[in-house]
Amino acid sequence: MMTRSDIKAALAAGHAAAMAVDGGQNADYIPFLASVPSDLLGIAVVTASGETHTMGDAGYGFAIESISKVFTLALVLERIGAEAVREKIGADPTGLPFNSVMALELHNGKPLSPLVNAGAIASASLAPGDSADASWDAILDMQSRFAGRPIQLSATVNKSEQETNFHNRAIAWLLYSAGSCFCDPVKAVDVYTRQCSTLVTAEDLAVMGATLAAGGVNPRTGEQVIKPEHTAPILAEMMMEGLYTASGDWAYTVGLPAKSGVGGGIMAVVPGVMGIAAFSPPLDTAGNSVRGQAAVAAVAKSLGYNLFTNPLQA
Ligand code: DON
């Protein structure tokens, strides 16, 4: 039985593990992200029954970035179903960086995963709503229902991204030319850019992870946010591509579905049990938080959670 003091000890282990690693750099291709203090470190655990534990800067609001891809995927699963998502976008790792154009070229314009930029822009193009504002409302509402509180756009982050997102605009047009962007590509990339520009805390990410852990029920609000059958495909996508080119290393060493963002956030899920999240801005070359990965890995290890271990022998 996992007790409150087990979780407290796990958070302390996570903090110590994070502080023991150095290096990495804030993302700087989005100017705002370069300005966030690099020494912030927040860790949070929220259980499937809503018990919350936090440590350090777990209340600091930072840009959600790629972690938003998970919730837009959830919205699109609800709209068109798991089979259509797999057919239109895919469920395989690309083996290439998150914004790779070559990955698209190699696969006839099919993104393969909704968790790389191309696949996330394709997901955004499948969100409900005829106008950019209507699709954006649906996406923001989904992020808020997962977090159990109203999530907000940061106008500063959004401006910084919209003024520099030329590579993503190119990806959107390539998708469109291949038949893999399902609305006006200008709308798709606008909505995608906004979804990356909301502010969340490590505690929010842990609630969002706990909602996935609890079969789509937010443990704070009690709301069934998505159909229970849609959590498994989301977690599968996270396991395959959640940490981009490091997803295999993460599965091998930690064994939990997780999703990172270039804002420094990382959210992991122990199905049926809890969400584990961390925030620290400096990233490794794959685009994942150096300390965030160390923290989440140590929390999971301390509590004995790895999906690939035999629970009967644990
Ligand atoms: O589209 C981008 O490049 C950013 N808005 C998000 C990328 C991201 O977070 C990749 N994650 N590690």
Side-chain angles (χ1 to χ4, degrees):
M1 251 303 272
M2 174 183 67
T3 64
R4 294 181 73 86
S5 66
D6 292 336
I7 301 179
K8 272 203 168 64
L11 283 183
H15 196 268
M19 294 309 285
V21 290
D22 251 326
Q25 279 192 330
N26 286 33
D28 58 7
Y29 72 100
I30 298 166
F32 173 86
L33 299 178
S35 71
V36 179
S38 299
D39 57 354
L40 291 165
L41 173 62
I43 312 176
V45 162
V46 173
T47 68
S49 57
E51 195 179 304
T52 301
H53 297 260
T54 64
M55 191 152 188
D57 303 306
Y60 186 94
F62 57 90
I64 189 170
E65 299 299 344
S66 282
I67 304 168
S68 66
K69 293 167 177 166
V70 171
F71 310 106
T72 301
L73 167 61
L75 181 66
V76 174
L77 282 166
E78 295 286 292
R79 180 174 177 222
I80 66 173
E83 246 341 282
V85 167
R86 189 156 73 103
E87 182 251 314
K88 288 181 184 311
I89 301 176
D92 286 302
T94 66
L96 287 162
F98 63 82
N99 58 1
S100 176
V101 168
M102 197 190 299
L104 273 180
E105 292 291 303
L106 288 172
H107 303 104
N108 301 318
K110 186 172 177 181
L112 295 197
S113 166
L115 301 185
V116 295
N117 287 15
I121 293 167
S123 297
S125 81
L126 289 163
D130 290 335
S131 65
D133 284 344
S135 297
W136 166 240
D137 285 348
I139 287 173
L140 186 62
D141 181 60
M142 187 54 89
Q143 288 190 16
S144 299
R145 287 159 64 200
F146 264 95
R149 73 171 185 97
I151 296 296
Q152 278 172 356
L153 182 81
S154 161
T156 313
V157 178
N158 187 45
K159 182 167 187 290
S160 187
E161 299 224 13
Q162 298 276 6
E163 288 174 352
T164 54
N165 65 354
F166 310 115
H167 189 89
N168 286 338
R169 293 189 217 182
I171 287 175
W173 280 108
L174 280 175
L175 284 169
Y176 189 68
S177 74
S180 294
C181 183
F182 305 96
C183 72
D184 171 9
V186 173
K187 174 194 167 200
V189 80
D190 173 17
V191 170
Y192 164 78
T193 303
R194 292 195 228 181
Q195 79 177 41
C196 292
S197 305
T198 61
L199 295 184
V200 290
T201 65
E203 184 174 340
D204 287 329
L205 289 183
V207 177
M208 293 163 114
T211 301
L212 288 168
V217 177
N218 183 311
R220 289 204 173 158
T221 62
E223 183 190 355
Q224 182 82 52
V225 177
I226 57 170
K227 293 195 185 86
E229 63 265 32
H230 287 156
T231 58
I234 293 171
L235 297 179
E237 300 271 16
M238 287 167 63
M239 188 63 98
M240 290 293 112
E241 188 62 282
L243 274 75
Y244 305 112
T245 49
S247 301
D249 300 275
W250 179 262
Y252 191 99
T253 55
V254 183
L256 293 177
K259 183 73 205 86
S260 65
V262 290
I266 176 167
M267 171 189 78
V269 177
V270 187
V273 182
M274 61 172 54
I276 307 171
F279 160 62
S280 162
L283 309 177
D284 62 19
T285 51
N288 303 314
S289 168
V290 172
R291 285 185 164 162
Q293 290 174 89
V296 172
V299 170
K301 187 165 184 217
S302 169
L303 293 170
Y305 294 129
N306 176 328
L307 291 192
F308 303 118
T309 54
N310 180 349
L312 300 176
Q313 290 175 337

